[in-house]
Amino acid sequence: MVTAPGADWPDPLRTLAGHRVADAGQWPTRRLEIMELMLPLIYGCLPDRPMATRIARLHSTVLRRLGGARLLSCRIEPQAMAPFQLRLFIPEGSGPFPVIISGDGCWHYADHAALGAMLARGYVFAQFNRVEIAPDPGGPATGVTLSQASAQPRTLAAWAWAYHRVVDALLPLDWIDTASIAVVGHSRGGKAALLAGATDLRIALTSANNSGAGGAGSFRHQGPGSETLTELLRHFGYWFDPQLQAYAGQEHTLPFDQHFLKALVAPRALLTTEALDDHWANPQGAWQTHRAARCVFELLGAAHRQAIVFRGGGHDHLLADWHCLLDFADAALRGIPVQRPPEVDPFPGLPLPARWMTSRPG
């Protein structure tokens, strides 16, 4: 299914009462409205924030293979909830260092070359294993609770919650630059990272790599060979709230699309990286949600803080993707001038998602 020409997507700058958001001062109210509308229906409610979260240091060693960087193994201990492991790869020096958080420890996408690139540029890399928090394939989330006693956290919400707890634990560390916290994930981990960044204002940069349906991809616009909502829920329904099932095959009736989730990140930095041959992850749909979210970044004076980068190839988290993230992070978090190529439309001739975009660039 591909979006029919002229079919309008919901406008992130039009309130439920039908009013236009005309200036940046009105955005926080609209942002809250989007969160209350969108998040429970797709992801369910995020688990409660614990009263306190501490970090327990377990072991430290020097990694000579990585130029003398340090590996610090820790345990994240949310109060009255189950702990989980965190590994911190720390560059030489005293900091404070910007930090990139990944929940993809279960897949080890950050290989030796990717770690070396991050450390060489002066970034801490913080990695946890998201399946410690909620298993995949699905089952009950471990050790997290909701204020609604009858509700059980869905998997993506539980994983996003874990990103937030890592932020809690890192904030008191004087060698962490707390204004320069980034989150990243690949595939289903990219969905979780995007949800985490959208829902926590302490996260300065959000990056999702080949995140597909429920991440950067569109539900409404599905390019050739992309995953439909029906297929997604058949195989991975435990990631999402059961309410979403009502929209399988009726995606055009959703009162939002994933451009709303991207808009929640603004005016903070957002990078989505996509592979043109990764049809299942819907790179066309990711381009459409990027275009449709742009109006919010522009309203907030942050158009330069939203980027999407396409490469050839398939469904992988490649070294090129890590370098792309580091280039973007250097500019967004550290003010280091980086020569970025101009944004090129990878799908010329694809219609705009909505008529309300015609008076705006892109």
Side-chain angles (χ1 to χ4, degrees), residues 35-115:
M35 290 183 68
E36 292 175 345
L37 168 72
M38 180 181 192
L39 300 183
L41 196 158
I42 294 188
Y43 305 104
C45 295
L46 265 66
D48 290 334
R49 181 175 181 174
M51 293 293 292
T53 299
R54 67 182 295 268
I55 184 168
R57 304 184 184 207
L58 303 178
H59 177 69
S60 179
T61 189
V62 173
L63 300 172
R64 293 183 178 84
R65 295 180 299 115
L66 290 170
R70 188 159 55 100
L71 170 60
L72 181 61
S73 297
C74 307
R75 187 171 56 241
I76 304 298
E77 298 177 341
Q79 184 174 323
M81 298 179 183
F84 60 94
Q85 303 293 311
L86 178 72
R87 303 180 84 202
L88 294 167
F89 297 85
I90 307 163
E92 286 192 288
S94 57
F97 303 108
V99 59
I100 297 172
I101 304 170
S102 169
D104 291 342
C106 42
W107 292 91
H108 300 292
Y109 296 124
D111 61 13
H112 186 274
L115 283 172

Side-chain angles (χ1 to χ4, degrees):
M1 179 188 77
V2 176
T3 306
D8 268 5
W9 292 22
D11 185 346
L13 292 178
R14 186 166 295 279
T15 70
L16 293 179
H19 305 305
R20 290 282 304 161
V21 176
D23 59 64
Q26 298 172 334
W27 172 246
T29 300
R30 173 58 176 158
R31 183 179 183 276
L32 180 60
E33 187 177 68
I34 290 174
M35 290 183 68
E36 292 175 345
L37 168 72
M38 180 181 192
L39 300 183
L41 196 158
I42 294 188
Y43 305 104
C45 295
L46 265 66
D48 290 334
R49 181 175 181 174
M51 293 293 292
T53 299
R54 67 182 295 268
I55 184 168
R57 304 184 184 207
L58 303 178
H59 177 69
S60 179
T61 189
V62 173
L63 300 172
R64 293 183 178 84
R65 295 180 299 115
L66 290 170
R70 188 159 55 100
L71 170 60
L72 181 61
S73 297
C74 307
R75 187 171 56 241
I76 304 298
E77 298 177 341
Q79 184 174 323
M81 298 179 183
F84 60 94
Q85 303 293 311
L86 178 72
R87 303 180 84 202
L88 294 167
F89 297 85
I90 307 163
E92 286 192 288
S94 57
F97 303 108
V99 59
I100 297 172
I101 304 170
S102 169
D104 291 342
C106 42
W107 292 91
H108 300 292
Y109 296 124
D111 61 13
H112 186 274
L115 283 172
M118 286 184 272
L119 293 166
R121 294 216 208 179
Y123 286 83
V124 169
F125 182 60
Q127 182 169 255
F128 67 95
N129 180 349
R130 62 178 182 268
V131 302
E132 282 194 71
I133 292 86
D136 192 25
T142 305
V144 295
T145 60
L146 287 174
S147 56
Q148 298 88 345
S150 61
Q152 177 65 44
R154 307 304 289 178
T155 299
L156 287 173
W159 291 344
W161 172 93
Y163 275 95
H164 298 167
R165 304 292 69 80
V166 173
V167 174
D168 289 346
L170 295 179
L171 287 178
L173 304 178
D174 58 10
W175 44 272
I176 292 291
D177 180 354
T178 57
S180 300
I181 295 175
V183 295
V184 67
H186 169 68
S187 192
R188 63 195 66 183
K191 303 180 206 295
L194 185 53
L195 178 59
T199 53
D200 192 331
L201 296 176
R202 302 171 301 174
I203 294 169
L205 188 159
T206 299
S207 179
N209 185 70
N210 297 352
S211 56
S218 167
F219 289 118
R220 276 176 171 77
H221 181 100
Q222 286 146 7
S226 64
E227 184 177 32
T228 67
L229 180 57
T230 298
E231 291 166 325
L232 177 69
L233 295 177
R234 180 183 303 126
H235 297 291
F236 304 108
Y238 59 93
W239 289 349
F240 301 97
D241 192 90
Q243 295 179 85
L244 189 58
Q245 184 65 53
Y247 295 91
Q250 302 291 324
E251 292 87 345
H252 63 284
T253 65
L254 277 165
F256 45 76
D257 208 313
Q258 293 304 92
H259 62 305
F260 275 37
L261 189 68
K262 289 182 172 181
L264 293 177
V265 176
R268 295 165 295 132
L270 172 64
L271 170 69
T272 48
T273 44
E274 305 291 339
L276 290 169
D277 299 321
D278 188 7
H279 302 299
W280 190 249
N282 196 8
Q284 276 195 18
W287 172 243
Q288 294 292 72
T289 61
H290 172 78
R291 300 166 90 188
R294 185 181 296 164
C295 62
V296 178
F297 285 85
E298 290 174 342
L299 178 75
L300 302 179
H304 62 292
R305 299 176 72 79
Q306 182 201 21
I308 186 168
V309 177
F310 292 86
R311 60 163 172 80
H315 192 68
D316 298 291
H317 204 169
L318 301 180
L319 182 59
D321 301 317
W322 290 103
H323 278 297
C324 182
L325 169 58
L326 290 168
D327 287 345
F328 187 72
D330 277 350
L333 303 181
R334 311 172 88 177
I336 298 174
V338 174
Q339 188 67 35
R340 279 171 50 192
E343 186 174 278
V344 176
D345 186 345
F347 306 105
L350 201 63
L352 290 171
R355 288 185 292 268
W356 50 261
M357 295 178 62
T358 56
S359 61
R360 303 180 183 127

